Amino acid sequence: MTQTLTITRPDDWHLHLRDGAMLEGILPETTRDFGRAIVMPNLVPPVVTAKDAEAYRARIMAAIPEGADFTPLMTLYLTETTDADDVAAAYASGLISAVKLYPAGATTNSDSGVTNFDNVQGVLERMSEIDLPLCVHSEVTDPSVDIFDREAVFIDRVLDPVRRRVPELRVVMEHITTADGVAYVMSQDERLGATITTHHLIINRNDLLVGGIKPHYYCLPIAKREEHRLALVEAATSGDARFFLGTDSAPHSDPNKESACGCAGVFSATNTMSCLAHVFERAGALDKLEGFASLHGPAFYGLAPNVGKTTLTKQAKAVTFPDKIHTGAGDVTVFNPGFPLNWTTS
Ligand code: DOR
Ligand code: ZN
């Protein structure tokens, strides 16, 4: 018997769309299932000013497939020289929806990020005044901190002190990967939200490393122990409105992934909704999927849910998704959840 579930059209609250031929090649993978996406600004060079965001937005709009129902929600990349007036004007005009904080060196194209948080205090205070959310890549970059501990250490060393200094600022702890992240969010007020990726709900560090290294599972923050994955599934399926979907779908061409020094990023735009339906069904929480993928994110950002609907259908026979998306910037491997997928969207 086929099973169906109709939900409000989902959004993706953390997405990498890149630029040029890569953007053109991968954008249809997102516009198929998502009404909106918070678009990450870590291009080379990064999207720092309102002018940069306006130009990038125009390039994205030009690449949206004919007839697709999709709105990109732009972000600015916070640097130590970011101009608070430029940020405020960009928000007031409706151009941007958030500002992204990358600790310098934390991940792909984060060299222009923040080293000394005192230097961004003025911008954070201004953002708090105008109620513009800050999205945070929550990992320390201190080389002496083990890569598996970088999120937990960031909470104590950076995130909590920043929140104490600017308590009214709305903050999204991006792509949380640990039980520590879940516990921290739950200990705070509703001004702190968290996104959770598709892949961190499905893979742990054994999937990445046991039986040979799997470059397509390498991402940042890196996948953690199974107990942390279970904490993420519990948070995502709990119905708690502070947790919402941000796929962090991050395309890199296969040669850049399958390399002696491979890039971080999992590309999951193509099959995310199918993967999520599987995860939520397995957790006995299909009724919580709409909140996680379609309602909690807009509520946090102060937006209405999408008007459109998406129907998920479970079929007995496994669904096939393409293994790779062919783009003008090379092939991009689609996330392999490691189990058959039976849910499709329409
Ligand atoms: O795995 C990741 N890839 N994590 C990030 O934070 C950045 C992203 C990218 O841009 O490739
Ligand atoms: Zn990201």
Side-chain angles (χ1 to χ4, degrees):
M1 202 182 79
T2 52
Q3 193 182 344
T4 65
L5 173 70
T6 297
I7 63 172
T8 300
R9 182 165 164 85
D11 300 304
D12 185 348
W13 299 96
H14 181 132
L15 176 67
H16 297 270
L17 286 177
R18 314 300 191 207
D19 215 341
M22 181 64 88
L23 166 66
E24 265 179 46
I26 56 95
L27 186 55
E29 302 306 302
T30 284
T31 61
R32 198 174 301 129
D33 284 342
F34 298 95
R36 294 168 290 197
I38 286 274
V39 180
M40 288 297 123
N42 63 333
L43 303 181
V44 189
V47 179
V48 173
T49 64
K51 196 162 158 257
D52 298 336
E54 203 167 356
Y56 185 31
R57 186 172 191 279
R59 298 198 295 278
I60 295 168
M61 296 303 288
I64 295 175
E66 185 94 27
D69 164 21
F70 179 75
T71 306
L73 303 176
M74 307 308 292
T75 62
L76 294 180
Y77 186 120
L78 183 63
T79 73
E80 292 186 16
T81 56
T82 288
D83 173 6
D85 289 338
D86 185 56
V87 170
Y91 186 47
S93 73
L95 174 65
I96 63 162
S97 300
V99 170
K100 175 72 188 239
L101 188 161
Y102 287 103
T107 186
T108 310
N109 304 334
S110 61
D111 301 350
S112 322
V114 177
T115 305
N116 181 351
F117 288 81
D118 290 343
N119 292 339
V120 294
Q121 178 70 12
V123 178
L124 299 185
E125 283 169 6
R126 185 70 170 278
M127 288 172 60
S128 172
E129 278 165 35
I130 60 177
D131 206 21
L132 169 59
L134 178 73
C135 298
V136 182
H137 183 107
S138 303
E139 287 191 288
V140 291
T141 53
D142 178 345
S144 71
V145 178
D146 188 274
I147 189 170
F148 292 99
D149 299 332
R150 287 179 172 200
E151 179 174 295
V153 172
F154 185 89
I155 296 169
D156 294 335
R157 278 199 202 165
V158 183
L159 187 57
D160 196 58
V162 166
R163 292 208 71 240
R164 283 173 198 276
R165 278 192 302 203
V166 200
E168 298 294 312
L169 179 64
R170 270 188 299 148
V171 174
V172 183
M173 194 177 171
E174 300 271 48
H175 42 50
I176 55 170
T177 58
T178 58
D180 313 66
V182 171
Y184 182 66
V185 171
M186 293 187 65
S187 75
Q188 301 291 299
D189 61 39
E190 79 295 336
R191 298 197 151 260
L192 180 67
T195 54
I196 302 179
T197 76
T198 312
H199 50 284
H200 288 117
L201 291 172
I202 293 174
I203 59 165
N204 61 28
R205 66 194 204 178
N206 278 10
D207 297 310
L208 170 68
L209 295 168
V210 173
I213 191 161
K214 316 295 185 317
H216 295 290
Y217 287 163
Y218 175 61
C219 61
L220 290 170
I222 197 160
K224 309 293 193 301
R225 288 174 181 275
E226 176 64 2
E227 68 204 50
H228 294 292
R229 188 190 70 81
L230 292 173
L232 297 176
V233 172
E234 201 178 324
T237 60
S238 67
D240 187 323
R242 289 171 290 189
F243 300 102
F244 44 93
L245 174 64
T247 65
D248 199 13
S249 182
H252 294 276
S253 70
D254 283 352
N256 286 333
K257 293 287 295 174
E258 299 165 7
S259 149
C261 184
C263 294
V266 169
F267 180 73
S268 62
T270 306
N271 58 5
T272 273
M273 288 314 299
S274 186
C275 289
L276 289 179
H278 181 104
V279 168
F280 277 66
E281 183 183 31
R282 199 165 48 183
L286 266 180
D287 61 323
K288 302 291 195 304
L289 179 58
E290 183 179 40
F292 181 70
S294 314
L295 303 178
H296 302 166
F300 184 90
Y301 278 90
L303 299 169
N306 290 316
V307 174
K309 300 280 175 202
T310 294
T311 297
L312 291 139
T313 304
K314 186 183 181 188
Q315 45 195 58
K317 194 164 171 282
V319 193
T320 51
F321 289 93
D323 293 341
K324 294 178 193 300
I325 303 301
H326 308 296
T327 81
D331 283 0
V332 174
T333 292
V334 174
F335 175 58
N336 175 0
F339 45 72
L341 291 168
N342 295 83
W343 291 89
T344 53
T345 53
S346 59

